[in-house]
């Protein structure tokens, strides 16, 4: 089964790479001294919106954009500004549109690409890899940059590429699962083979299950109708819980799972899914932080103070637990006190839902400080990502040993 999924994931990445090779070389850079940023997003979701917010917050804090500029971007337009030009693009979760989006950004002479999602990062890396004078690429919201081919290791990568990786901690998930489903022997996952984040999580959970002697069932689903059928298939296999992996698409399939799996605990690796009816969110919640890290790299690059070739790929931990007791009650699931004791956020009686997807303890804003203080803090953070000769040699040796 795992061989099938590995082959499926590699097929997706190959298609993305081949499509990217069809892109023409970049056009000439702008004649003026104003840098052009291509801010390229795969699509919009509440979680992705936090990443976008962090980037725009940082650009505003450093004076690259103003309030009016920001509003123009959020209304769907590009920016030709005094301090920066921004191509603000969204592919609507469509792979073909994502390829065209990258092509357009290169045609318009973007100096730096800031990509959000594995899909866009993979396409952009392949496209600029064929160029003689490529722009810089800073990626964010990527779960497996090395499997995706964006880089080989934190310090082994193209000299014009760096970024930040989401850390999905399945050891932490084990603690949550044991609290809610002690003695569980079988669980399942519904995987979208067209979504590399989903497929990567499936492979990781498969290894996790084998190490703990658990039976793990994975079934594919692409359309909403597929999700209902996939849920029925998992229930027929006797699963005691269903884990929904990270995704870069909409939550429509998730809602179909909730409708079909009454009485079975549903976990989502996207914590904010508790706001759309998932009983338990257990996974990554550093969406804003990821955007802030990428923006730190971007500003340092724009200032000419970042050696991208020597800047390693950041790894962002951010495991959080959230519980929706209202959803659990409707879904016919009793949440154990052991799990409630771990939760950073609990929805009960409608309380906590509101109009926001912010979870207490997770920053979704920049701290107030002067520009000088912010720059000093950012420099210190980026200095911690510097790749030394020793680090590069060690990582290269590890790759060579692993390939033998």
């Amino acid at each position: 089964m795992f061989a099938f999924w590995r082959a499926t994931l590699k097929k997706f990445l190959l298609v993305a790479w081949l499509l990217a090779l069809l892109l023409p070389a970049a056009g000439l850079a702008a004649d003026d001294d104003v840098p052009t940023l291509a801010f390229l997003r795969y699509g919009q979701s509440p979680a992705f919106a936090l990443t976008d917010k962090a980037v725009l917050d940082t650009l505003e804090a450093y004076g690259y954009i103003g309030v009016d500029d920001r509003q123009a971007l959020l209304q769907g337009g590009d920016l030709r500004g005094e301090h920066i030009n921004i191509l603000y693009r969204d592919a609507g979760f469509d792979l073909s549109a994502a390829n065209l989006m990258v092509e357009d950004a290169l045609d318009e002479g973007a100096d730096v690409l800031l990509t959000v999602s594995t899909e866009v990062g993979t396409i952009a890396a392949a496209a600029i890899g064929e160029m003689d004078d490529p722009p810089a690429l800073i990626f964010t919201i990527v779960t497996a940059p090395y499997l995706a081919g964006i880089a080989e290791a934190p310090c082994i990568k193209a000299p014009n590429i760096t970024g930040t990786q989401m850390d999905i901690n399945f050891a932490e998930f084990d603690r949550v699962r044991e609290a809610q489903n002690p003695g569980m022997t079988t669980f399942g996952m519904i995987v979208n083979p067209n979504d590399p984040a989903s497929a990567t999580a499936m492979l990781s959970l498969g290894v996790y299950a084998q190490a703990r002697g658990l039976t793990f069932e994975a079934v594919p689903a692409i359309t909403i109708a597929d999700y209902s059928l996939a849920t029925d298939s998992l229930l027929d296999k006797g699963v005691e819980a269903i884990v929904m992996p990270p995704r870069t698409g909409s939550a429509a399939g998730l809602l179909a799972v909730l409708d079909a799996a009454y009485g079975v605990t549903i976990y989502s690796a996207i914590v904010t899914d508790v706001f759309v009816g998932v009983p338990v969110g257990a996974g990554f919640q550093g969406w804003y932080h990821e955007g802030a890290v990428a923006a730190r790299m971007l500003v340092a690059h724009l200032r000419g103070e970042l050696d991208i070739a020597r800047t390693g790929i950041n790894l962002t931990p951010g495991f959080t637990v959230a519980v929706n007791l209202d959803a659990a009650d409707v879904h016919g699931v009793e949440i154990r006190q052991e799990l409630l004791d771990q939760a950073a956020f609990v929805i009960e009686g409608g309380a906590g839902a509101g109009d926001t997807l912010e979870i207490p303890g997770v920053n979704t804003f920049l701290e107030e400080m002067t520009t000088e203080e912010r720059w000093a803090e950012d420099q210190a953070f980026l200095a911690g990502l510097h790749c030394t000769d020793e680090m590069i040699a060690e990582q290269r040796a590890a790759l060579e040993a692993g390939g033998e």
Side-chain angles (χ1 to χ4, degrees), residues 235-303:
L235 295 177
D236 289 341
K237 295 176 185 292
V239 300
E240 300 159 72
I242 296 176
V243 179
M244 299 303 297
R247 64 176 184 277
T248 49
S250 73
L254 175 62
L255 298 178
V257 176
L258 290 169
D259 287 341
Y262 182 83
V264 173
T265 304
I266 306 295
Y267 299 88
S268 176
I270 298 180
V271 179
T272 50
D273 279 343
V274 294
F275 291 95
V276 294
V278 174
V280 183
F284 186 77
Q285 186 48 36
W287 301 89
Y288 187 89
H289 180 76
E290 278 286 86
V293 170
R296 280 173 152 172
M297 294 173 169
L298 170 64
V299 169
H301 173 69
L302 293 175
R303 288 186 165 204

Side-chain angles (χ1 to χ4, degrees), residues 336-359:
R336 291 168 54 87
Q337 186 61 45
E338 289 85 346
L339 178 58
L340 287 173
D341 291 342
Q342 298 183 24
F345 187 67
V346 177
I347 298 174
E348 184 174 17
D355 297 322
T356 177
L357 294 181
E358 299 175 4
I359 290 180

Side-chain angles (χ1 to χ4, degrees), residues 80 89 121 160 210 214 253 311 339 341 401:
R80 300 292 177 179
R89 306 294 168 82
N160 60 316
Q210 289 178 346
L214 300 174
T311 300
L339 178 58
D341 291 342

